[in-house]
Amino acid sequence: MTTGVCVVGAAESDLGVTGKTALHLQTQAVTRALADAGLRLADVDGLATNGVSRFSATQVAEHLGLRPRWTDSTFAGGAAFELYVGHAVQAIQAGQASVVVISYGSNQRSARSRTFDPYEAHTPEAQFEQPYGPLYPVSAYALAAQLYLHTYGTGRGRAGMTSVAVAAREWARQNPRAYRFGAGPVEMDASPLVSDPLRVADCCLVTDGGGAVVLTTVDRARDLPAVPVEVLGYGEATTGTSIVGVGDLLRTGAVDSGRRAFAMAGLTPADVDSAQIYDSFTITVLLTLEALGFCGFGEAPDLVAAGTLPMNTSGGGLSYCHPGQLGVLLLVEAVRRLRGTADRVALAHGTGGILSTHGTVLLGRTS
């Protein structure tokens, strides 16, 4: 099966500590991605974005001088941008848009806007979870990590999380734009404890940054200068908003989003040459690899240690950058892998909230 839709442009904004506004970073990302695609702002009639304001798509469209006929500002945290790919494909197939830009930008590091306590007063979590003083979201992921260690062995699970962190730093050494490189396993395990068993080295960065990808039809892509990357399949799944509402913490919604994406593409995990997997925390990667079917449950530590699957090849959220939501930059890196290496199929998977929402995208080279 083919979706008939390609990614024809991909780019980052400035990263790290930029001193720029979120709209400035969005503008950089969008204009750079369009330049990569050989298109102009005037060609864009679809826009998907969030995180700027209550009306993010409207805000960004006005800032860029766009009047799109299709928009999406679904907020699903780290999974949003993988969801946008599926939604954009559907819009293009239905003739609702012809050129869609998916973009994001955040200055959370410069603005010092990151908080550990974003519970909204009217939610059940504020009533039943906040009194215990958890750090949001790290304490929730720490509970999932504790269960993983209890189920599969403390030594094995801890070694797996350390392997994820070390692998991210090793890939980051090859990326001049990566924010942090780090040291080896001993130094990783000696880093300060944040929420047991997660240490600083298990947690994603807090940086500024952003990115954008441009989608259009396969037919139009043939006339553009950039190497097109086809959307082969996509899937999404939502489970629960809080850690107590998820159910089985070791079998996340990625089981369903991955199954849907692979079924649409007519592929299996064995066909994937590289994977960009949301690494908000090291435990997120282990859970996601298992849920997507790259290995059996409890076997992700062995898979990561073996190093047979190129994963988070930019350095990921642990070492490259993490501007609040990393999902669009997972797509950017997947496109770069397909354009610049021998990879034929790449996967990007976003996780949002407390293991709440999952988006899986499969991309492939068209030639």
Side-chain angles (χ1 to χ4, degrees):
M1 175 182 175
T2 176
T3 65
V5 176
C6 284
V7 179
V8 293
E12 307 151 309
S13 70
D14 291 351
L15 308 172
V17 185
T18 66
K20 296 179 172 65
T21 67
L23 282 172
H24 190 152
L25 295 170
Q26 283 250 21
T27 302
Q28 286 183 332
V30 171
T31 54
R32 291 172 185 177
L34 286 170
D36 180 53
L39 293 167
R40 303 168 301 157
L41 280 168
D43 296 310
V44 177
D45 57 3
L47 176 66
T49 188
N50 70 53
V52 174
S53 67
R54 289 176 60 200
F55 303 100
S56 292
T58 306
Q59 191 92 55
V60 174
E62 181 181 84
H63 186 73
L64 296 173
L66 300 176
R67 298 193 64 168
R69 56 192 177 116
W70 178 88
T71 63
D72 190 349
S73 54
T74 300
F75 184 79
F81 303 89
E82 282 65 43
L83 269 57
Y84 290 157
V85 170
H87 300 174
V89 168
Q90 293 162 16
I92 292 170
Q93 289 174 334
Q96 294 178 303
S98 60
V99 175
V100 174
V101 169
I102 298 171
S103 67
Y104 177 70
S106 168
N107 66 341
Q108 64 167 11
R109 179 86 184 203
S110 294
R112 298 180 180 273
S113 60
R114 186 74 177 183
T115 175
F116 277 127
D117 184 24
Y119 288 110
E120 296 176 90
H122 64 277
T123 63
E125 299 94 283
Q127 181 178 359
F128 297 110
E129 295 183 17
Q130 193 168 18
Y132 295 95
L135 302 176
Y136 184 96
V138 62
S139 294
Y141 280 84
L143 287 173
Q146 287 283 21
L147 180 59
Y148 194 93
L149 300 185
H150 173 76
T151 303
Y152 301 121
T154 299
R156 179 181 177 78
R158 181 64 257 177
M161 290 190 286
T162 298
S163 293
V164 169
V166 171
R169 271 59 169 194
E170 288 303 312
W171 281 111
R173 292 180 194 280
Q174 302 175 43
N175 183 358
R177 305 203 69 190
Y179 187 76
R180 179 175 70 186
F181 302 107
V186 174
E187 290 81 2
M188 294 292 177
D189 287 343
S191 65
L193 197 65
V194 179
S195 189
D196 195 13
L198 298 181
R199 299 179 176 275
V200 168
D202 293 299
C203 303
C204 66
L205 299 165
V206 176
T207 69
D208 299 351
V213 293
V214 183
L215 290 84
T216 191
T217 63
V218 169
D219 289 341
R220 186 164 188 176
R222 294 190 183 102
D223 298 325
L224 298 175
V227 176
V229 170
E230 187 170 2
V231 180
L232 303 177
Y234 53 85
E236 64 179 82
T238 296
T239 54
T241 187
S242 67
I243 198 68
V244 299
V246 171
D248 188 345
L249 295 179
L250 302 186
R251 286 164 173 75
T252 73
V255 170
D256 296 318
S257 67
R259 174 176 50 80
R260 290 162 185 152
F262 282 115
M264 180 182 292
L267 299 172
T268 71
D271 297 309
V272 174
D273 298 304
S274 59
Q276 312 304 323
I277 292 177
Y278 208 100
D279 55 345
S280 48
F281 305 96
T282 52
I283 186 61
T284 315
V285 176
L286 299 183
L287 294 175
T288 305
L289 286 169
E290 294 171 6
L292 291 174
F294 284 103
C295 58
F297 288 99
E299 296 177 357
D302 296 333
L303 176 62
V304 177
T308 53
L309 176 67
M311 180 180 65
N312 296 344
T313 49
S314 66
L318 292 168
S319 199
Y320 159 57
C321 75
H322 193 283
Q325 298 176 66
L326 184 66
V328 70
L329 290 166
L330 300 177
L331 295 167
V332 170
E333 180 65 12
V335 170
R336 287 178 173 167
R337 288 284 304 186
L338 291 168
R339 287 177 171 179
T341 72
D343 291 358
R344 303 292 301 180
V345 176
L347 175 144
H349 179 89
T351 302
I354 306 299
L355 298 171
S356 304
T357 302
H358 301 263
T360 309
V361 173
L362 289 161
L363 301 173
R365 289 169 60 182
T366 58
S367 61

